Amino acid sequence: MHENHPVLPCAATPQPSPRRLHAPDAIVIIVVVLTAAALTAFGLSAVGVLQLLAGAGLVAILLVGLGKAAPSKTIRIALGAATGPTA
């Protein structure tokens, strides 16, 4: 009896390599995690820490967007996310 074998992709096709984490990115992640841990250790609730990190992230998005002259639609979306859903 004849068996069908699946066709494998050509080995010569280059596969994209995963993006490696660069030192500045790793430092930012470490600082954010250590800051969150320190704030929690000093008595701020986990919800408060998450709100603080979310606010800081949205401010960063707005600043980077303004620095790169992002379209106003992008800035409106970020501001809408920062202010919450409209009723």
Side-chain angles (χ1 to χ4, degrees), residues 8-67:
L8 298 175
C10 179
T13 306
Q15 299 296 324
S17 61
R19 183 179 177 269
R20 293 191 53 104
L21 194 61
H22 298 290
D25 299 331
I27 290 170
V28 168
I29 292 170
I30 291 168
V31 167
V32 166
V33 169
L34 290 177
T35 302
L39 289 172
T40 304
F42 284 120
L44 191 60
S45 69
V47 173
V49 171
L50 289 174
Q51 288 174 339
L52 181 66
L53 292 176
L58 288 171
V59 168
I61 290 170
L62 288 173
L63 289 176
V64 169
L66 290 174

